[in-house]
Amino acid sequence: MRIIFSLLFVTLLGHLQAQDYYLGGKIGYSFPTNIGNSDKENGFAHYAANGWQLALTGKWFYNESLSLGGDLGYQYQGKGDIWNVNNRGEVDATYQTIRLLLNGTYYFNQSDARPYLGVSFGAYYLINTLNFKANSINNESVAYTAKHWKPGVAPQLGILIDLSRKTLLDIHVQMDIIAQMEAIYHPDAIPDYTENPHEKQNQISLNIGLLFGL
């Protein structure tokens, strides 16, 4: 019996040692897209500018081909071209996103440079602010801050490069697809207005990060 327990302990110890944990961060540059918008001329790519994002990331390697992880990220974007309405007034618009995501990744090989396909899912906290100061003497100015939690999914295609035994370079393309994002009309407001007129708020981003073994 003692031999059996010893063998089980050695097997478990070897299994735990093979499961590597990494923590780090990444920086990304995002591009708003019109993907998912029924009206391409009125999509999110026209309402928001490109933006920067930062994230804290972590990975747990179940084995050499599979990992689980997560990230906590923040993104900021300014106003897009559609808000350039100097003939009507001045517009200040910002789009902020906080991401809380879980991730699963499959690696196609076990070399020092591992291409991979991953998918993240979780919650997006969206903070969209609009401040329109109208030129006209009528009360046409609109100001609001819309705050919403939305579910979403983010597929990734990338490559993981071993810089050293405990340092990894992560380069990937990610698309954030945010569900249940629709325009909301406020008919009782004075003046009446449509919140988030772009409807869908999907993104594509280029990301680079470093992960350090624990």
Side-chain angles (χ1 to χ4, degrees):
M1 182 66 69
R2 183 178 298 176
I3 295 175
I4 293 175
F5 277 112
S6 297
L7 291 174
L8 289 174
F9 177 76
V10 171
T11 302
L12 178 61
L13 182 62
H15 184 60
L16 289 175
Q17 289 176 342
Q19 297 174 345
D20 293 329
Y21 297 85
Y22 288 80
L23 288 177
K26 68 178 181 178
I27 185 171
Y29 191 66
S30 62
F31 305 86
T33 77
N34 292 339
I35 296 174
N37 289 77
S38 57
D39 181 2
K40 302 301 181 183
E41 297 302 320
N42 199 39
F44 190 53
H46 300 294
Y47 278 86
N50 300 339
W52 291 96
Q53 55 181 267
L54 297 170
L56 298 175
T57 62
K59 281 185 181 291
W60 166 54
F61 285 85
Y62 176 74
N63 56 38
E64 293 183 340
S65 298
L66 297 172
S67 72
L68 300 175
D71 67 70
L72 169 62
Y74 171 80
Q75 174 180 302
Y76 178 89
Q77 294 164 278
K79 63 180 181 180
D81 292 337
I82 208 167
W83 292 123
N84 294 327
V85 290
N86 296 328
N87 59 320
R88 294 180 53 199
E90 297 181 358
V91 178
D92 183 22
T94 62
Y95 304 89
Q96 301 176 77
T97 305
I98 297 173
R99 297 175 175 83
L100 297 171
L101 303 178
L102 297 176
N103 172 265
T105 303
Y106 174 77
Y107 303 89
F108 293 99
N109 61 42
Q110 288 76 50
S111 66
D112 291 341
R114 290 172 276 176
Y116 68 79
L117 184 64
V119 61
S120 296
F121 63 93
Y124 294 75
Y125 186 55
L126 307 174
I127 308 172
N128 296 349
T129 299
L130 173 67
N131 186 9
F132 170 50
K133 298 178 182 179
N135 287 333
S136 64
I137 60 176
N138 298 326
N139 185 20
E140 296 180 351
S141 298
V142 174
Y144 69 79
T145 297
K147 301 179 179 180
H148 299 287
W149 282 101
K150 298 292 183 181
V153 62
Q156 298 132 11
L157 180 64
I159 185 168
L160 195 67
I161 301 172
D162 293 351
L163 298 181
S164 69
R165 184 175 177 273
K166 286 294 184 178
T167 305
L168 304 175
L169 175 65
D170 184 12
I171 303 172
H172 64 269
V173 178
Q174 175 171 312
M175 180 171 185
D176 293 278
I177 303 171
I178 302 173
Q180 302 176 8
M181 191 67 188
E182 305 294 340
I184 302 173
Y185 178 54
H186 296 270
D188 297 329
I190 301 175
D192 60 320
Y193 69 93
T194 299
E195 175 186 315
N196 303 328
H198 45 75
E199 298 183 350
K200 305 301 180 184
Q201 193 165 320
N202 300 325
Q203 309 278 333
I204 294 176
S205 60
L206 303 176
N207 299 272
I208 184 169
L210 288 173
L211 292 163
F212 303 96
L214 300 182

